[in-house]
């Protein structure tokens, strides 16, 4: 199996991404590192521990990460994910405790200890931990096999400002450090995640499962009062983060373009915007695979089949 470390701010959709990875024998989840994002880091850490316990995987270590972005004040998303960060999950308080070592230190240690090209980073929140590790230890960059990150938006516009997607907006400086790191990089922006919203028909298979995991996922992403349904009038909620894991498992379902992506860190109106050179109008070197389409129905049926394994 492919070794991954999941860097995350659970987060309702983060939770589903983590469960999808745990359910997939092609992937070995070596660790979870947490970050402040949807809710403060103490809570995202607790949520990661609770999810591992639910999945019977308390053997996977959790390393608590950055409490705030590199240079900007924290921004959170309780308006989407609730005070707990996993509204609707209603998981019991975990017994599992996070490690004493912090996320960035662990990332540096593990990337130096393991063979070069062993570890893939799956990034589901603001990129503060990854940027911190890369800044303190630039020697780890060539040792990372791949970074797969949910973040950015071009065609769709932003979901936290008119121009910026949440993860890149919260820590634009960190995102730019990752863009520049020279690590093979795949981005799953809103341009693709908004094509895979959780409509009732896509959730029908999950509704039939009736397992503790499926019921929990449905309480989070299938809820009647889901943010995107109320605010945008969509047929279902968004399910961003699981597409990162989906791309690792089933890349043939996705379409993307290799191009240059840079993150705006200065202009107030465009803070955190992903500037995507889709049409190669600059001579900047392509640094990312910018995913902009997916076969959503196939994705949901494969996701359902995987979550059924966590019965
Ligand atoms: C991203 O922001 C968070 O709220 C979600 O978990 C996802 O990672 C979408 O913009
Ligand atoms: Ca997230």
């Amino acid at each position: 199996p492919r070794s991954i470390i999941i860097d995350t701010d659970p987060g309702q959709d983060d939770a589903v991404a983590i469960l999808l990875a745990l359910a997939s024998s092609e992937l070995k989840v070596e660790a979870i590192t947490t970050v402040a994002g949807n809710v403060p880091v103490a809570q995202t850490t607790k949520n990661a521990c609770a999810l591992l316990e639910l999945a019977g995987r308390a053997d996977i270590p959790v390393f608590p990460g950055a409490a705030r972005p590199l240079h900007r004040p924290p921004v959170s998303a309780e308006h989407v994910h609730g005070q707990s960060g996993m509204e609707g999950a209603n998981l019991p308080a975990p017994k599992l405790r996070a490690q004493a070592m912090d996320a960035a230190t662990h990332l540096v240690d593990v990337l130096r200890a393991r063979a070069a090209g062993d570890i893939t980073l799956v990034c589901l929140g603001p990129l503060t931990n990854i940027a911190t590790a890369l800044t303190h230890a630039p020697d780890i960059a060539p040792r990372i096999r791949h970074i797969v990150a949910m973040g950015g938006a071009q065609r769709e516009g932003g979901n936290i400002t008119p121009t910026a997607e949440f993860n890149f907006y919260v820590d634009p400086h960190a995102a730019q450090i990752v863009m520049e790191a020279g690590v093979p990089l795949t981005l799953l922006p809103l341009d693709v995640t908004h094509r895979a919203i959780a409509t009732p028909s896509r959730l029908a298979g999950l509704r039939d499962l009736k397992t503790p995991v499926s019921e929990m996922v449905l309480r989070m992403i299938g809820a009647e009062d889901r943010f995107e349904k109320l605010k945008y009038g969509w047929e279902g909620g968004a399910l961003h983060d699981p597409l990162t894991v989906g791309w690792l498992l089933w890349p043939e379902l996705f379409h993307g373009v290799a191009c240059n992506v840079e993150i705006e860190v200065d202009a107030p109106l465009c803070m955190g915007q992903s500037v995507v050179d889709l049409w190669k109008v600059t001579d900047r070197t392509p640094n990312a695979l910018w995913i902009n389409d997916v076969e959503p129905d196939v994705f949901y049926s494969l996701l359902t089949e995987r979550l059924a394994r966590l019965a």
Side-chain angles (χ1 to χ4, degrees), residues 2 12 41 45 54 58 60 109 122 139 144 149 152-153 170 174 221 223 227 238 241 260 264-265 288 310:
R2 180 171 185 158
Q12 294 168 316
V41 70
T45 305
L54 170 78
I60 297 175
D109 281 4
V122 178
D139 58 290
I144 302 171
V170 172
I221 65 165
F227 171 77
D241 293 336
N260 181 272
E264 176 60 60
V265 297
L310 294 174

Side-chain angles (χ1 to χ4, degrees), residues 70-72 164 168-180 262-275:
L70 296 181
H71 302 300
R72 287 174 52 80
F168 287 4
Y169 177 76
V170 172
D171 200 337
H173 300 89
Q176 179 58 17
I177 288 170
V178 171
M179 298 305 120
E180 286 172 343
E262 310 285 334
I263 310 304
E264 176 60 60
V265 297
D266 284 322
L269 282 174
C270 303
M271 184 61 70
Q273 180 176 4
S274 45
V275 177

Side-chain angles (χ1 to χ4, degrees), residues 112 133 165 291:
R112 284 180 176 163
E165 177 281 329
I291 304 288

Side-chain angles (χ1 to χ4, degrees), residues 192-263:
V192 63
T193 68
H194 284 182
R195 296 204 163 176
I197 62 168
T199 62
S201 69
R202 290 175 187 156
L203 294 181
L206 215 50
R207 292 213 186 272
D208 291 340
L209 288 184
K210 303 209 182 312
T211 62
V213 165
S214 71
E215 305 271 297
M216 181 199 80
V217 167
L218 287 168
R219 284 197 304 272
M220 291 194 295
I221 65 165
E224 269 321 303
D225 60 351
R226 260 305 292 226
F227 171 77
E228 297 86 354
K229 290 168 101 173
L230 299 180
K231 175 133 183 165
Y232 311 143
W234 286 1
E235 232 196 304
L239 192 64
H240 311 280
D241 293 336
L243 291 183
T244 56
V245 180
W247 180 80
L248 282 172
L249 293 169
W250 314 298
E252 66 281 3
L253 300 184
F254 294 81
H255 177 264
V257 185
C259 58
N260 181 272
V261 181
E262 310 285 334
I263 310 304

